[in-house]
Amino acid sequence: GQQLNQSPQSMFIQEGEDVSMNCTSSSIFNTWLWYKQDPGEGPVLLIALYKAGELTSNGRLTAQFGITRKDSFLNISASIPSDVGIYFCAGNPYSGGYQKVTFGTGTKLQVIP
Amino acid sequence: NAGVTQTPKFRVLKTGQSMTLLCAQDMNHEYMYWYRQDPGMGLRLIHYSVGEGTTAKGEVPDGYNVSRLKKQNFLLGLESAAPSQTSVYFCASSYSFASPQSSGANVLTFGAGSRLTVL
């Protein structure tokens, strides 16, 4: 099946640093989603993007829907220890149900206090 | 406000045994999904349902069966477990269409996962 190219695969950063991760695809998407997964838990939605060029913030998190509709990025500013986890991007080619959504392989974030 | 609830959370099976994972959602979502998560593979769709009484195959359906007898429940069955089915299984649900005005409430909502080990 199709997969998104998500990078980096893992990151070690110092507390207080900013973080940037991105996803690219050969296919066009109508929706981009960013999820965070804590150890032993299910993915939790951070930000949903519905329009090309859209820039959306959620606290210290900012995500953008690329103009080409084939990429998206997530930035985390001033990282804190609780930001540790795996971040997944996901793209949906439809405006409807998510049966065709494709997930990235995840970015594992470690924050050093 | 439970959201999506999966049972059991952990299970160990022997090769050839059968089992059923139960997913329940209380958000009145039309669509429900079963994913498996393996290291380095992200999330892969096993089966999904677009409404009560309907099911469809996803990306990796072999070795699994599903049923959606009630709108709020989606069952994943393994008839004869194999070691390759050792994984973490996630159930998710959603409405049938996306709406920016819903601030994310209508996108995929996941359960906490069920860790299955097949010996």
Side-chain angles (χ1 to χ4, degrees):
Chain A
Q2 180 186 21
Q3 284 198 325
L4 297 176
N5 294 316
Q6 185 172 350
S7 64
Q9 286 187 331
S10 63
M11 313 177 68
F12 283 85
I13 61 169
Q14 293 282 348
E15 183 177 354
E17 288 184 345
D18 296 343
V19 174
S20 184
M21 58 191 80
N22 68 82
C23 272
T24 60
S25 170
S26 58
S27 301
I28 290 174
F29 291 123
N30 276 327
T31 305
W32 280 97
L33 308 171
W34 284 93
Y35 285 87
K36 182 193 176 195
Q37 184 178 27
D38 291 325
E41 299 292 330
V44 175
L45 182 71
L46 297 173
I47 294 177
L49 302 160
Y50 298 100
K51 197 166 64 171
E54 180 181 357
L55 185 72
T56 297
S57 293
N58 179 6
R60 294 179 295 106
L61 278 61
T62 302
Q64 185 160 26
F65 193 142
I67 291 292
T68 64
R69 296 164 64 193
K70 294 183 179 180
D71 61 350
S72 178
F73 72 76
L74 175 71
N75 285 342
I76 306 173
S77 62
S79 59
I80 59 178
S82 62
D83 290 335
V84 166
I86 302 176
Y87 292 79
F88 290 100
C89 63
N92 189 14
Y94 300 148
S95 297
Y98 295 87
Q99 65 269 35
K100 294 295 185 183
V101 71
T102 301
F103 282 87
T105 52
T107 295
K108 187 172 184 179
L109 179 63
Q110 310 261 42
V111 178
I112 303 168
Chain B
N1 191 7
V4 178
T5 304
Q6 292 180 230
T7 54
K9 291 189 182 301
F10 302 94
R11 186 75 188 269
V12 178
L13 290 177
K14 294 181 180 178
T15 297
Q17 286 185 317
S18 63
M19 74 157 295
T20 300
L21 297 177
L22 172 64
C23 177
Q25 54 95 3
D26 61 2
M27 296 171 286
N28 203 33
H29 284 166
E30 291 94 350
Y31 284 34
M32 296 187 75
Y33 316 78
W34 275 107
Y35 289 88
R36 61 178 289 173
Q37 183 179 31
D38 302 292
M41 301 291 289
L43 289 153
R44 293 183 292 169
L45 184 64
I46 305 171
H47 285 280
Y48 66 96
S49 167
V50 300
E52 182 178 319
T54 71
T55 64
K57 294 180 180 180
E59 181 185 352
V60 289
D62 294 342
Y64 305 95
N65 56 77
V66 288
S67 65
R68 184 122 180 249
L69 299 179
K70 294 182 179 181
K71 185 177 183 179
Q72 63 268 34
N73 295 337
F74 196 30
L75 277 62
L76 177 71
L78 285 71
E79 290 185 350
S80 180
S84 61
Q85 293 177 304
T86 293
S87 187
V88 182
Y89 292 86
F90 289 98
C91 177
S93 67
S94 75
Y95 288 118
S96 60
F97 61 92
S99 168
Q101 286 72 35
S102 299
S103 64
N106 58 321
V107 300
L108 280 173
T109 301
F110 286 87
S114 298
R115 182 176 292 276
L116 175 65
T117 301
V118 183
L119 303 175

